[in-house]
Amino acid sequence: MPRLSCIIPVVGNTQALETTLVSVLERRPEDCEIIVVLNEHYADPYGLKGEVRFVDAPGAGMAACATMGIQVSRAPIVHVLAAGMEVADDWTDSALPHFADPEVASVIPLIRDSANPERLLAAGVQYRRGGGRRVATNLPDRDSSSQSEALGPTIDAAFYRKSALEVLGDGLPINLGDQLADVDLALGLQYAGYRTVLESESVVFAEELVGSGRSGFRSGLYAERLFLRNLPAFGWLAEFAAHPFIVAGELVRSLLRVATLTQLAGRLTAWFSLSDYRLHHHLLAVARETVVRETAARESAEPAVIAKLPELATSDERPV
């Protein structure tokens, strides 16, 4: 079984795929399988089927392609890497050891500008109240104890513990568009009780990130879905009270844009799927209970192991 599955979701840009494949194949670590999920036909002109697993996902978006790759992967750690990304030497070496901590579910690599490596494009994603997403572009001060404010990695480049994803549905959500899927997953993992680590020594390069998203109806629909799906993480009363004012403020700021009314229509439409949100809230609760049980089991096992160590030292048994 491989130790790492590198999943490259491809939405239409096969030239970008080849850029990423060359970079990954030249630098991949041992025990790493490479899975490419394509939403359109790719002829494989370089005959890479012996080294790369190609999976077809006709018409799928990036989040759906990434999820399909996660579901067919075999390694305990999965690495989502958007087509067009290029990786630095040994980019996985500093990221993978963090997963020795069972509480860590995701690791954030840095994404730097390929034309100007000093420029940081992304250091994870943040949630913006009202159902929004913001890309983090600041690093914690090395000389202080400050932590990264990012909730999790971006869809462009991310390391995940596969078992943690399985608890929340085995991949990224596919009904929030490609731009909100990563922050929704990050919120779910955080609510369940998992941790995310920012690893500044793990670096990938990009010319640009996945697009900023749709405007109009779908923008409103996906934003409201993100808000409603994650109400347990925010606190129901406080968020419900503030939400109308947050949305109203966004609409006022965009009154002169044609998309304003369609965005509002999208937000209102999202409320017709309340049963879906209840199911997701139940999934979040189950995930949280699962993590609590696993943590308690580890903590109860550790004293027993420690207590046995002196006994092992004076017997014929030796700890391995």
Side-chain angles (χ1 to χ4, degrees):
M1 176 186 294
R3 182 175 62 140
L4 176 70
S5 295
C6 182
I7 297 158
I8 305 173
V10 186
V11 180
N13 192 343
T14 55
Q15 183 175 355
L17 164 63
E18 291 170 357
T19 297
T20 302
L21 275 178
V22 169
S23 176
V24 171
L25 287 170
E26 287 180 347
R27 299 174 176 86
R28 64 175 169 177
E30 294 182 3
D31 298 327
C32 173
E33 67 171 350
I34 301 173
I35 302 172
V36 173
V37 185
L38 301 125
N39 78 338
E40 63 179 44
H41 177 69
Y42 178 65
D44 186 21
Y46 303 104
L48 296 174
K49 284 187 178 179
E51 296 183 82
V52 177
R53 221 169 133 196
F54 291 99
V55 178
D56 292 325
M62 185 173 177
C65 287
T67 293
M68 183 174 292
I70 290 167
Q71 291 174 349
V72 302
S73 65
R74 297 180 296 139
I77 308 301
V78 294
H79 177 32
V80 176
L81 193 66
M85 296 285 164
E86 296 181 79
V87 300
D89 291 335
D90 304 323
W91 89 104
T92 66
D93 287 3
S94 56
L96 295 183
H98 290 292
F99 291 101
D101 181 348
E103 294 184 1
V104 172
S106 60
V107 173
I108 304 169
L110 299 187
I111 303 177
R112 294 192 175 277
D113 188 336
S114 55
N116 178 18
E118 294 299 316
R119 178 173 173 244
L120 182 63
L121 297 182
V125 289
Q126 301 167 334
Y127 175 75
R128 187 163 52 84
R129 291 185 74 184
R133 171 188 187 265
R134 180 183 292 112
V135 175
T137 55
N138 294 320
L139 295 177
D141 190 341
R142 289 181 178 270
D143 298 325
S144 74
S145 59
S146 61
Q147 301 294 316
S148 168
E149 295 181 358
L151 289 170
T154 70
I155 195 172
D156 305 84
F159 292 91
Y160 293 110
R161 184 187 303 277
K162 188 175 180 181
S163 60
L165 299 185
E166 289 170 347
V167 171
L168 283 170
D170 205 12
L172 286 91
I174 61 174
N175 62 346
L176 293 170
D178 293 339
Q179 286 71 37
L180 295 183
D182 51 13
V183 71
D184 181 88
L185 178 57
L187 286 166
L189 291 171
Q190 182 187 66
Y191 181 76
Y194 289 110
R195 293 199 304 114
T196 291
V197 177
L198 172 66
E199 180 46 70
S200 59
E201 298 300 318
S202 176
V203 178
V204 301
F205 301 96
E207 293 183 1
E208 59 183 2
L209 301 178
V210 171
S212 59
R214 299 174 182 270
S215 60
F217 181 85
R218 288 190 181 274
S219 171
L221 176 67
Y222 295 153
E224 199 71 5
R225 280 179 179 171
L226 177 64
F227 167 74
L228 292 169
R229 280 168 59 90
N230 291 285
L231 272 173
F234 308 140
W236 291 75
L237 183 59
E239 285 300 311
F240 261 128
H243 190 61
F245 298 99
I246 294 169
V247 173
E250 289 182 353
L251 295 176
V252 167
R253 287 192 295 272
S254 59
L255 274 179
L256 299 179
R257 291 163 50 188
V258 176
T260 300
L261 291 179
T262 54
Q263 181 182 352
L264 178 59
R267 283 191 177 270
L268 293 174
T269 301
W271 283 82
F272 289 97
S273 302
L274 291 178
S275 60
D276 292 340
Y277 308 133
R278 284 196 293 268
L279 286 173
H280 187 66
H281 297 167
H282 175 70
L283 180 64
L284 290 175
V286 171
R288 189 167 185 150
E289 291 171 3
T290 299
V291 173
V292 168
R293 284 198 306 270
E294 290 175 349
T295 302
R298 286 195 303 270
E299 291 176 349
S300 63
E302 285 172 3
V305 171
I306 293 171
K308 193 178 180 183
L309 287 177
E311 175 187 339
L312 290 174
T314 56
S315 70
D316 291 336
E317 296 180 72
R318 294 291 182 272
V320 177

